[in-house]
């Protein structure tokens, strides 16, 4: 039957790599290898171990070849994925256990290796940690190759793909993904998978549109079917009708034009049509993101969430470890400023490795969090402050305290900062004596006492994520009430306006570093309310910059003044959206 006559159906998955592709399916099904079990005669056991060693060598050669190709085609970062694969082949425990099992049981070595590797895969899979689950995937991939080499069977290969097709697979390993012929694969769809799996990372770096997590799609399609992969929305349309094809044709064209416009804008200044410069900054969580921040046109880092250095660690990072990271970020951004926020543990960020530091609490967001915790652990806090101060000798650094609820906390934090500076002076270490200190405004009590806080700091940054949660009493991680979390609630806008006005009266600048700052719909509102700087996750910078370049600041001020008179959050949202749509037309 011609695929055009089969009914269209749509499957929602997870978008893994942007772009739209249309074409015929190449069904790629990985099946578990059948490993026959048999006894090996005593006089053949040495040879059997030799076969195992040869299979390991052959696998190493195959993986090295793939790694070289990936390095050539995609670059060293993607190629590094295969270091983990090569390490599996040197894993003493895995290999030693296989040989011991073979020597004691006499069962053929393929069976022993299969059993041992399955035990390891199961152990990794059962640990509730995405990183370790990825390692299970690496091990599965390598084990499969070793078994194929031992059994002399060749699996279906993705590099056999010659004609332009959309690969639809139940699962895909990194080496599968890397073996894909880039000019033949139009798109990639997998039943399983997460956004962060290595295979998806490879697809993304090849710029192949990809959707993962479509569950049982491989059982519902056949070679010959046609489909559309919508990597933007995570949607797969099987056997699309003419109307759907037309609609997608238009979307594809619009997206392509818009993306090229965004890219062009990211190299231009963030300046409105009436020539007001807007400072756009990046929020980062890891040192590696500093380069991305620069590439996307950030004029500095407005929020470095340092708690991520602590979250993945079984112990507190030392002053030296922290200093090295802060210094790397500061140097990567110089001469632009980097706002380093002190530890914001607690709330939704407990410290798994040190349960003694952050206890279980009934209301963690109202509990022992951020600056409260640091003031109770002054030695740990001073260690971080010394590391930040030392980094200030290498560029422009600012320190920012999270969850400030009143002036007393600012005064106590500043006193510890002065102590940390004194300790460094005694050690003869260099730091910037003019280093500026700022306070986050994310608790209502801070928002209404900006005039008092202003006596103890040099800048403010509004954390709208928390401010909205505390103003509206909406737990930011509770799905049931997520619809009530409204950035355009009049209480939110009036509070931001009051903070900006109070700060400006004292000649202090105000940034916004919550998610609101990275949403172009809200950018004009925030700027119109008088916010001086917007700080956001690096990938969001181009779209916000593009919008800033499409509007007049005078219009944004008028918009803000108008919506401040309104009472309905939905109406305010609609007005902000209208303002955006009128200036940024995706056509
Ligand atoms: C905020 O609360 O808006 C903020 C930027 O901090 P975090 O999201 O890390 O709590
Ligand atoms: Mg916060």
């Amino acid at each position: 039957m011609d695929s055009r006559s089969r009914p269209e159906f749509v499957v929602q998955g997870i978008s893994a790599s942007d772009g739209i592709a249309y074409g015929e399916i190449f069904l790629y099904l990985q099946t578990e290898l059948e490993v026959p079990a048999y006894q090996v005669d005593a006089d053949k056991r040495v040879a059997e171990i030799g076969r195992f060693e040869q299979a390991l060598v052959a696998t190493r050669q195959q993986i090295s070849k793939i790694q070289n190709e990936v390095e050539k085609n995609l670059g060293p970062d993607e190629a590094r994925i295969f270091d983990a694969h090569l390490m599996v082949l040197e894993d003493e425990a895995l290999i030693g256990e296989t040989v011991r099992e073979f020597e004691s049981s006499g069962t053929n070595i393929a069976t022993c290796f299969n059993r041992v590797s399955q035990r390891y895969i199961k152990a990794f899979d059962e640990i509730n940690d995405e990183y370790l689950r990825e390692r299970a995937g690496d091990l599965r991939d390598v084990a499969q190759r070793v078994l194929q080499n031992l059994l002399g069977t060749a699996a279906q290969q993705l590099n056999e793909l010659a004609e332009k097709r959309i690969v639809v697979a139940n699962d895909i390993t990194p080496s599968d993904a890397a073996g894909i012929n880039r000019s033949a694969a139009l798109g990639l769809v997998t039943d399983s998978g997460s956004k962060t799996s290595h295979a998806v990372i490879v697809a993304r770096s090849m710029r192949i549109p990809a959707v993962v997590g479509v569950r049982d799609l491989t059982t519902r399609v056949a070679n010959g079917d046609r489909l559309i992969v919508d990597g933007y929305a995570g949607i797969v349309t099987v056997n699309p009708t003419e109307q759907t094809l037309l609609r997608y044709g238009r979307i594809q064209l619009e997206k392509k034009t818009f993306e090229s416009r965004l890219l062009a804008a990211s190299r231009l200044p963030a300046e409105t049509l009436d020539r007001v410069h807007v400072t756009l900054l990046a929020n980062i969580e890891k040192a590696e993101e500093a380069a991305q921040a620069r590439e996307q046109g950030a004029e500095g880092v407005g929020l470095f969430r340092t708690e991520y250095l602590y979250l993945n660690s079984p112990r507190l990072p030392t002053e030296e470890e922290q200093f090295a990271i802060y210094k790397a970020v500061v140097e990567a951004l110089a001469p632009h400023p980097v706002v380093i926020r002190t530890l914001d543990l607690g709330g939704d960020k407990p410290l798994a490795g040190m349960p003694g530091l952050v206890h279980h609490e009934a209301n963690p967001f109202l509990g022992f969090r951020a600056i409260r915790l640091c003031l109770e652990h002054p030695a740990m806090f001073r260690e971080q402050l010394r590391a930040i101060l030392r980094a200030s000798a290498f560029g422009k650094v600012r320190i920012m305290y999270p969850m400030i609820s009143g002036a007393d906390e600012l005064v106590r934090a500043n006193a510890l900062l002065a102590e940390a500076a004194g300790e460094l002076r005694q050690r003869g270490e260099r730091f910037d004596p003019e280093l500026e200190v700022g306070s986050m405004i994310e608790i209502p009590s801070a928002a209404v006492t900006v005039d008092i806080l202003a006596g103890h700091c040099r800048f403010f940054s509004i954390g709208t994520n928390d401010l909205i949660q505390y103003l509206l009493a909406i737990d930011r991680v509770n799905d049931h009430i997520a619809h009530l979390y409204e950035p355009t609630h009049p209480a939110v806008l009036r509070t931001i306006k009051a903070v900006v006005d109070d700060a400006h009266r004292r000649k202090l600048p105000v940034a916004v570093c919550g998610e609101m700052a990275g949403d172009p719909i809200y950018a004009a509102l925030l700027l119109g309310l008088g916010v001086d700087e917007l700080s956001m996750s690096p990938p969001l910078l181009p779209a916000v910059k593009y919008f800033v370049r499409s509007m007049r600041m005078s219009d944004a001020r008028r918009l803000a003044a108008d919506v401040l008179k309104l009472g309905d959050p939905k109406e305010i949202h609609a007005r902000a959206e209208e303002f955006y749509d009128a200036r940024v037309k995706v056509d």
Side-chain angles (χ1 to χ4, degrees):
M1 189 163 60
D2 172 17
S3 72
R4 291 292 175 87
S5 55
R6 281 206 280 269
E8 170 182 299
F9 67 92
V10 176
V11 182
Q12 177 76 56
I14 302 163
S15 90
S17 175
D18 279 352
I20 290 169
Y22 170 61
E24 210 175 290
I25 289 177
F26 176 84
L27 202 54
Y28 177 70
L29 296 176
Q30 277 194 327
T31 45
E32 286 289 315
L33 276 177
E34 295 255 340
V35 184
Y38 53 88
Q39 285 301 111
V40 177
D41 295 342
D43 61 334
K44 300 212 173 79
R45 291 198 182 161
V46 175
E48 180 79 348
I49 293 176
R51 275 195 340 105
F52 182 45
E53 280 163 0
Q54 273 167 15
L56 293 174
V57 170
T59 308
R60 162 167 282 280
Q61 285 165 347
Q62 288 160 354
I63 295 175
S64 297
K65 187 162 167 261
I66 296 170
Q67 186 171 41
N68 288 340
E69 275 167 25
V70 170
E71 172 141 20
K72 215 166 53 213
N73 295 330
L74 298 175
D77 281 350
E78 281 73 16
R80 225 165 280 138
I81 291 173
F82 295 95
D83 286 344
H85 288 206
L86 291 170
M87 267 155 61
V88 170
L89 294 168
E90 280 164 13
D91 188 329
E92 286 297 331
L94 178 73
I95 295 164
E97 230 173 280
T98 302
V99 173
R100 277 194 298 280
E101 188 151 333
F102 168 66
E103 282 170 343
S104 64
S105 69
T107 312
N108 64 322
I109 202 125
T111 301
C112 296
F113 177 71
N114 196 25
R115 273 192 212 136
V116 174
S117 54
Q118 289 303 330
R119 274 206 298 271
Y120 276 80
I121 291 166
K122 188 158 173 279
F124 280 153
D125 260 341
E126 278 170 0
I127 299 170
N128 190 16
D129 177 301
E130 182 146 14
Y131 176 79
L132 288 178
R133 275 202 300 269
E134 295 282 336
R135 298 291 73 74
D138 292 337
L139 181 52
R140 201 175 282 121
D141 193 353
V142 177
Q144 196 79 357
R145 274 183 187 280
V146 173
L147 286 172
Q148 276 162 11
N149 285 321
L150 265 175
L151 302 171
T153 52
Q156 185 190 10
Q157 293 287 324
L158 264 180
N159 52 16
E160 286 163 10
L161 179 65
E163 288 180 65
K164 290 191 183 301
R165 293 280 187 271
I166 292 182
V167 177
V168 179
N170 44 2
D171 196 4
I172 192 161
T173 63
S175 56
D176 281 333
I180 291 178
N181 176 350
R182 207 203 287 218
S183 55
L186 300 171
L188 174 68
V189 180
T190 61
D191 284 351
S192 62
S194 76
K195 243 180 152 82
T196 54
S197 72
H198 284 148
V200 167
I201 293 169
V202 173
R204 208 176 294 143
S205 60
M206 285 200 244
R207 300 194 182 281
I208 298 176
V211 172
V212 298
V214 289
R215 287 174 292 273
D216 58 350
L217 187 68
T218 47
T219 63
R220 302 170 65 194
V221 294
N223 281 323
D225 278 339
R226 298 184 151 265
L227 56 78
I228 297 175
V229 183
D230 178 351
Y232 297 105
I235 292 173
V236 175
T237 310
V238 182
N239 298 323
T241 60
E242 288 295 337
Q243 283 104 310
T244 308
L245 282 172
L246 263 172
R247 187 161 56 82
Y248 266 107
R250 271 201 305 275
I251 296 177
Q252 197 168 14
L253 201 68
E254 285 166 5
K255 295 273 191 194
K256 273 210 170 116
T257 321
F258 189 55
E259 272 169 12
S260 58
R261 279 203 244 152
L262 288 189
L263 198 70
S266 65
R267 295 185 201 103
L268 299 170
E271 200 176 87
T272 60
L273 293 172
D274 47 354
R275 305 222 164 277
V276 181
H277 180 264
V278 176
T279 307
L280 299 183
L281 304 165
N283 292 352
I284 64 167
E285 281 149 19
K286 286 184 281 196
E288 299 86 87
E289 286 171 301
Q292 202 196 354
R294 254 209 120 104
E295 265 162 42
Q296 304 287 359
E299 289 186 76
V301 164
L303 170 64
F304 183 2
R305 290 183 162 101
T306 59
E307 52 278 9
Y308 284 85
L309 312 182
Y310 293 65
L311 288 180
N312 292 325
S313 163
R315 59 173 177 80
L316 296 172
T318 64
E319 177 187 323
E320 284 310 312
E321 285 164 344
Q322 292 187 64
F323 165 62
I325 292 167
Y326 302 151
K327 176 170 173 275
V329 171
V330 170
E331 286 180 334
L333 266 304
H336 296 308
V338 176
V339 176
I340 304 182
R341 180 175 75 179
T342 59
L343 200 50
D344 183 3
L345 284 177
D348 60 340
K349 295 178 254 187
L351 199 58
M354 275 163 285
L357 198 61
V358 183
H359 297 279
H360 176 75
E361 297 179 320
N363 288 307
F365 277 119
L366 300 180
F368 192 51
R369 217 193 128 176
I371 197 73
R372 302 169 184 180
L373 185 145
C374 288
L375 293 174
E376 292 283 311
H377 293 278
M380 175 189 83
F381 193 36
R382 281 203 315 274
E383 190 155 6
Q384 178 173 41
L385 293 172
R386 286 195 304 270
I388 302 175
L389 279 167
R390 285 171 61 193
S392 73
F394 298 86
K396 185 106 201 93
V397 173
R398 297 186 180 127
I399 288 187
M400 178 159 79
Y401 304 125
M403 295 288 292
I404 292 290
S405 65
D408 174 57
E409 285 160 345
L410 256 184
V411 170
R412 288 168 62 202
N414 280 339
L416 288 168
L417 180 64
E419 274 182 40
E423 286 160 0
L424 290 182
R425 257 186 228 104
Q426 272 193 343
R427 275 161 39 180
E429 302 266 11
R430 286 188 311 130
F431 62 90
D432 174 8
E434 302 290 309
L435 177 139
E436 291 181 1
V437 165
S439 167
M440 283 201 73
I441 301 292
E442 48 187 349
I443 298 184
S445 59
V448 295
T449 53
V450 160
D451 57 329
I452 304 173
L453 301 180
H456 309 282
C457 66
R458 303 280 295 280
F459 67 93
F460 294 107
S461 189
I462 305 179
T464 45
N465 305 341
D466 277 314
L467 184 63
I468 297 170
Q469 121 165 308
Y470 295 126
L471 265 180
L472 306 184
I474 307 295
D475 180 344
R476 65 192 255 195
V477 294
N478 183 336
D479 291 344
H480 292 291
I481 47 172
H483 61 288
L484 299 173
Y485 189 93
E486 284 176 311
T488 49
H489 193 293
V492 174
L493 301 186
R494 287 183 192 184
T495 305
I496 295 174
K497 169 92 168 72
V499 168
V500 169
D501 290 350
D502 282 349
H504 284 179
R505 266 194 287 279
R506 280 153 184 86
K507 309 239 171 319
L508 299 189
V510 179
V512 171
C513 64
E515 296 311 302
M516 214 178 154
D519 187 334
I521 304 282
Y522 303 133
L525 265 183
L526 295 173
L527 294 170
L529 289 170
V531 167
D532 303 286
E533 299 175 342
L534 300 176
S535 192
M536 65 207 75
S537 145
L540 304 175
L541 282 157
V544 173
K545 188 189 274 188
Y546 183 80
F547 179 45
V548 163
R549 291 180 55 80
S550 320
M551 67 170 212
R552 292 181 167 276
M553 191 60 94
S554 54
D555 290 343
R557 290 198 187 107
R558 213 165 302 124
L559 168 75
D562 286 350
V563 300
L564 277 172
K565 293 181 207 131
L566 302 175
D568 177 5
K570 306 254 172 334
E571 194 183 346
I572 299 176
H573 188 277
R575 292 284 282 275
E577 205 164 31
E578 241 169 64
F579 186 93
Y580 174 81
D581 287 345
R583 285 155 184 84
V584 181
K585 287 206 184 59
V586 183
D587 56 21

